[in-house]
Amino acid sequence: MLDATRRDDRTGQRTVDRTARRTENRYGNRPTMKDVAARAGVGLKTVSRVVNAEPGVTEDTERRVQEAIAALGFRRNDSARVLRKGRTASIGLVLEDLADPFYGPLSRAVEEVARAHGALLINGSSAEDPEREQELVLALCARRVDGLVVIPAGVDHQYLEPEIAAGVATVFVDRPAGKIDADVVLSDNFGGARGGVAHLIAQGHRRIGFIGDQPRIHTAVERVRGYRAAMEDAGLAVDDRWVSLGATEPERVRRAAEDMLTGPDPVTAIFSGNNRVTVTVIRVLAERERPVALVGFDDIELGDLLKPGVTVVSQDAAQLGRTAADRLFLQLDGAALPPERIELTTRLIQRGSGEIPPSSP
Amino acid sequence: MLDATRRDDRTGQRTVDRTARRTENRYGNRPTMKDVAARAGVGLKTVSRVVNAEPGVTEDTERRVQEAIAALGFRRNDSARVLRKGRTASIGLVLEDLADPFYGPLSRAVEEVARAHGALLINGSSAEDPEREQELVLALCARRVDGLVVIPAGVDHQYLEPEIAAGVATVFVDRPAGKIDADVVLSDNFGGARGGVAHLIAQGHRRIGFIGDQPRIHTAVERVRGYRAAMEDAGLAVDDRWVSLGATEPERVRRAAEDMLTGPDPVTAIFSGNNRVTVTVIRVLAERERPVALVGFDDIELGDLLKPGVTVVSQDAAQLGRTAADRLFLQLDGAALPPERIELTTRLIQRGSGEIPPSSP
DNA sequence: ATGAAAGCGCTAACAG
DNA sequence: CTGTTAGCGCTTTCAT
């Protein structure tokens, strides 16, 4: 790498212009503070003072140093700085998949908080794989991020204990951590689902289906629990064929929906457990003649423009991220807070699909 | 920070259990290779060998070192490693806004390529602010990322010249760089827009509006150019009132759409310049009685389920990211490639809204 | 106001 | 197979 540049340096020995001469080192031949100091005719520490805007440098010296910096194209090496200072001014965010419209806004919100605290955000996708989650988290710890926001894929986070003990601030979001005591910021998944299902019951539905994510995911479990609670509150029995938990792949969701919509005692309404599921269920229902009611967990874009509009239990992804990040920096700012569980409320948004009355089979 | 832990260390002097004793240092008191070496009764370099899975260590020694590592909760400090090795095994991605559904998949695609190369991805949002873009890029350079994928917000990237000369691999995506010669991966914005507008013309439309992003954004300019080319190809004049470039805020887009839909010579079709614009235009059209045709640049989720379905010129965000990242690692793997411009084709997807015939005013 | 020396934790280069 | 030494580029400490 960079051979071309090096060759230039060697051939045209006096090309002090674009590729100013300098000692050979790694990083593709970058000037260091030492180089700047030599060029400006000052001590190393003086350069450091200028670069970090520390006091105690005459205007004249400062100017000479700045000139040398510009001429050489110097840029401070933060790796060295971090090694000395012990703080990286960066935090990590491990989530499931940045391509999911739920996580984009969450990540952006965390980034904004980090930015306000002068920190950079490094985020990684676990792809819902516990091993990959751990791998990512530990890689971030090796880079000595100051703090960590984690949307857990796995259920056991004991591997984080030494890191937390060593001072890595940690907050879990969206799902609680497993086997470890730590801050966690959640939506009220149970209450939200319960309310959504109760809404369907209030419309007169008695046979209601639930299609959700895999049962090893906390939110899926909480939401199905909310569904069962609402049914029980209303004195309604739940047929096993009405409940389906599993991967959110369109094929599986489609099959699950079609199964509960046919045969004896078909459901007249469906509660879908997250945005991915909702999208597929909408497609299935659009193909059918008899109207079926639908309430989905998570809002979806353009949900208001479909016919009928999609009634949803909405959670605020950005607020989730913001709250977690705020909490993280509270920890980083030295507050010795006992681990806390923060729960954000959800909101039922009626748009039509959830207000469809039951139709006789 | 970490006072609690420290106090534990000092009080219970022999708590060799969870918080094993060790020398005081920064990073919230983390053990170093030296500590591990001392505990295992071996030399520092042997620990390094074990940690990096280098050959030349007996099974027995390795076991002892591993035990010490586990007992102390040692984790290699990558800052020090980077300082020594000169490579950070990380790349940076600067984009506009991670919360935009266009950039999520792009970022995820870059991440996957990085991961395949053993690198971590750090991404930052410029919020379409040139200053913030530069700030972010330079922060990433200070952290010595090996490479940079940039979706430019600004139009002048000369500030990157010293960095690139110093060996930071760089690829621009979605928009070309300004005043600097570098790799760039683009969609065929001109051709895509031209094709989309030609499609509307083929349906019989003669008065077609264009609503796009701000004219300082390259893609916006290219797409409006494509629009004008298609109109000219068909020998159609373009009324100034039919073309609107500006912020993608719903309010502005709504006003623009309503303006060109009313008054004398109202448009019978609209070409919307990106996903944000499309969403708002859909809302405006949904409120109107007379059907108006619509083709949008960028695909949008659930666009097929709306009535009518939304006809779009689709570009593949993930493919854009993948191509750019591949190119970046090609550079990093030492290929001395001359800067190239790679253009990806777009695809017209007919779903109904673009096939609406013109209606008489 | 300025600088020299020490050292952060690690790896490269060389001994043994 | 194993250990010792030097030094990556910076900040800290302490002289001057």
Side-chain angles (χ1 to χ4, degrees):
Chain A
M1 173 170 144
L2 250 205
D3 274 303
T5 311
R6 280 202 184 133
R7 227 174 293 125
D8 280 0
D9 273 7
R10 282 168 188 159
T11 334
Q13 280 200 355
R14 297 280 100 146
T15 43
V16 198
D17 223 353
R18 289 174 47 144
T19 316
R21 279 163 306 131
R22 55 182 91 110
T23 46
E24 289 260 330
N25 54 24
R26 29 184 63 71
Y27 297 114
N29 233 357
R30 275 175 167 281
T32 70
M33 282 190 181
K34 198 174 151 196
D35 300 325
V36 175
R39 167 138 188 166
V42 300
L44 175 58
K45 177 66 207 182
T46 301
V47 177
S48 173
R49 285 201 180 91
V50 171
V51 169
N52 297 300
E54 283 169 26
V57 182
T58 11
E59 231 174 69
D60 182 61
T61 319
E62 152 127 32
R63 200 179 31 71
R64 272 165 49 226
V65 171
Q66 292 288 16
E67 275 171 20
I69 288 176
L72 296 174
F74 168 81
R75 179 101 38 223
R76 180 180 65 196
N77 185 331
D78 277 352
S79 291
R81 167 167 233 248
V82 158
L83 182 58
R84 219 32 260 248
K85 299 205 70 141
R87 279 266 180 137
T88 55
S90 61
I91 65 172
L93 168 61
V94 176
L95 38 71
E96 188 204 328
D97 178 6
L98 217 38
D100 185 320
F102 178 73
Y103 295 110
L106 192 155
S107 173
R108 179 69 202 277
V110 172
E111 180 185 4
E112 288 307 311
V113 176
R115 184 176 141 85
H117 288 262
L120 218 52
L121 174 66
I122 308 180
N123 43 21
S125 302
S126 70
E128 205 60 91
D129 172 358
E131 251 182 70
R132 189 162 157 182
E133 172 209 304
Q134 175 168 351
E135 191 185 294
L136 258 169
V137 164
L138 294 182
L140 292 167
C141 288
R143 279 167 204 248
R144 297 294 188 268
V145 291
D146 300 329
L148 225 34
V149 177
V150 181
I151 296 169
V155 293
D156 184 351
H157 296 88
Q158 287 181 43
Y159 71 87
L160 256 169
E161 235 172 46
E163 311 299 330
I164 292 175
V168 181
T170 309
V171 178
F172 291 83
V173 199
D174 190 42
R175 312 164 188 173
K179 303 185 182 176
I180 193 171
D181 207 25
D183 279 330
V184 53
V185 180
L186 305 164
S187 283
D188 179 11
N189 295 293
F190 172 78
R194 183 186 205 163
V197 174
H199 180 68
L200 287 168
I201 294 172
Q203 313 300 313
H205 293 279
R206 295 294 170 264
R207 297 193 305 277
I208 302 172
F210 180 96
I211 307 179
D213 212 330
Q214 316 196 48
R216 65 179 171 74
I217 298 175
H218 176 263
T219 50
V221 174
E222 282 298 291
R223 292 171 195 174
V224 76
R225 206 164 66 78
Y227 159 82
R228 289 188 187 279
M231 293 295 274
E232 195 176 328
D233 289 346
L236 297 173
V238 172
D239 191 317
D240 276 351
R241 293 179 307 117
W242 300 346
V243 178
S244 171
L245 299 186
T248 59
E249 266 96 68
E251 302 73 36
R252 191 203 68 88
V253 172
R254 171 172 288 275
R255 224 176 310 117
E258 282 169 351
D259 279 359
M260 59 182 71
L261 285 167
T262 52
D265 295 336
V267 300
T268 62
I270 292 179
F271 187 90
S272 56
N274 69 30
N275 59 351
R276 300 294 83 194
V277 174
T278 303
V279 168
T280 301
V281 172
I282 290 172
R283 287 186 203 286
V284 173
L285 297 186
E287 297 162 6
R288 304 185 71 86
E289 300 208 343
R290 190 148 31 80
V292 173
L294 170 67
V295 174
F297 207 107
D298 293 329
D299 201 356
I300 55 177
E301 179 152 46
L302 295 178
D304 57 327
L305 285 185
L306 294 172
K307 308 277 182 232
V310 186
T311 295
V312 296
V313 175
S314 151
Q315 61 173 330
D316 190 339
Q319 186 59 34
L320 227 40
R322 214 173 294 125
T323 308
D326 282 341
R327 181 82 189 172
L328 190 75
F329 281 99
L330 222 59
Q331 283 185 32
L332 282 172
D333 290 347
L337 310 154
E340 201 176 311
R341 176 194 174 94
I342 302 173
E343 209 169 81
L344 305 184
T345 59
T346 59
R347 202 160 54 91
L348 180 73
I349 306 177
Q350 305 184 26
R351 296 203 184 108
S353 75
E355 293 70 47
I356 296 174
S359 64
S360 42
Chain B
M1 168 170 147
L2 250 204
D3 274 304
T5 311
R6 282 207 181 124
R7 225 174 294 123
D8 281 358
D9 272 7
R10 283 169 188 156
T11 335
Q13 281 202 354
R14 296 281 100 146
T15 43
V16 198
D17 224 352
R18 289 175 46 142
T19 316
R21 279 162 306 131
R22 54 184 92 107
T23 46
E24 288 260 331
N25 53 23
R26 29 185 64 70
Y27 297 114
N29 231 357
R30 275 176 167 281
T32 71
M33 282 191 182
K34 199 174 151 196
D35 300 324
V36 175
R39 167 134 187 171
V42 300
L44 176 57
K45 179 66 203 182
T46 301
V47 176
S48 173
R49 287 201 180 90
V50 171
V51 169
N52 297 300
E54 281 169 28
V57 181
T58 13
E59 231 174 69
D60 183 61
T61 318
E62 152 127 32
R63 201 179 31 69
R64 270 165 50 226
V65 172
Q66 291 289 16
E67 276 171 19
I69 287 175
L72 295 174
F74 167 81
R75 177 103 35 227
R76 179 181 66 196
N77 185 331
D78 277 353
S79 291
R81 166 167 234 248
V82 159
L83 183 57
R84 215 36 256 249
K85 300 205 70 142
R87 280 267 181 134
T88 54
S90 60
I91 66 172
L93 168 61
V94 176
L95 38 71
E96 189 204 326
D97 178 5
L98 218 37
D100 185 320
F102 178 72
Y103 296 110
L106 193 155
S107 172
R108 180 68 202 276
V110 173
E111 180 186 3
E112 289 306 311
V113 175
R115 184 177 141 86
H117 288 263
L120 220 53
L121 174 67
I122 308 180
N123 44 20
S125 302
S126 69
E128 206 61 89
D129 172 358
E131 250 183 71
R132 189 162 157 183
E133 172 209 305
Q134 175 168 351
E135 189 184 295
L136 257 170
V137 164
L138 293 182
L140 290 167
C141 288
R143 278 165 206 250
R144 296 294 188 268
V145 291
D146 300 328
L148 225 35
V149 177
V150 181
I151 296 170
V155 294
D156 184 351
H157 296 89
Q158 286 182 45
Y159 70 87
L160 255 169
E161 236 173 43
E163 311 298 330
I164 292 175
V168 181
T170 308
V171 178
F172 291 84
V173 199
D174 191 42
R175 311 165 188 173
K179 303 185 182 176
I180 193 171
D181 205 26
D183 279 328
V184 54
V185 180
L186 305 165
S187 283
D188 179 12
N189 295 292
F190 172 76
R194 181 186 207 163
V197 174
H199 180 68
L200 287 168
I201 294 172
Q203 313 300 312
H205 294 278
R206 295 294 171 264
R207 298 193 305 278
I208 303 173
F210 180 98
I211 307 178
D213 212 331
Q214 316 196 48
R216 64 177 172 76
I217 298 176
H218 175 262
T219 51
V221 174
E222 282 298 291
R223 292 171 195 173
V224 77
R225 206 164 65 78
Y227 159 82
R228 288 190 187 277
M231 294 294 274
E232 196 176 327
D233 290 345
L236 297 173
V238 172
D239 190 316
D240 277 351
R241 293 180 304 118
W242 301 345
V243 178
S244 171
L245 299 185
T248 58
E249 265 96 68
E251 302 71 36
R252 190 203 69 89
V253 172
R254 169 173 290 276
R255 224 176 311 116
E258 282 167 353
D259 279 358
M260 57 182 74
L261 285 168
T262 51
D265 295 335
V267 299
T268 63
I270 292 179
F271 187 90
S272 56
N274 70 31
N275 59 350
R276 300 295 84 194
V277 174
T278 304
V279 167
T280 301
V281 172
I282 291 172
R283 286 186 204 287
V284 173
L285 297 187
E287 296 162 5
R288 303 185 72 86
E289 300 209 342
R290 188 149 32 79
V292 173
L294 170 67
V295 174
F297 208 107
D298 294 329
D299 201 357
I300 56 177
E301 179 153 47
L302 294 180
D304 57 327
L305 287 185
L306 294 173
K307 304 282 185 232
V310 186
T311 295
V312 296
V313 175
S314 151
Q315 60 173 332
D316 190 339
Q319 186 59 32
L320 227 41
R322 216 172 296 125
T323 307
D326 281 341
R327 182 82 189 171
L328 190 75
F329 282 100
L330 222 58
Q331 282 185 34
L332 283 172
D333 291 347
L337 310 156
E340 202 176 311
R341 175 195 174 95
I342 302 173
E343 209 169 82
L344 304 184
T345 59
T346 59
R347 202 160 53 90
L348 179 74
I349 304 176
Q350 305 184 25
R351 296 204 184 108
S353 74
E355 292 70 47
I356 296 173
S359 64
S360 43

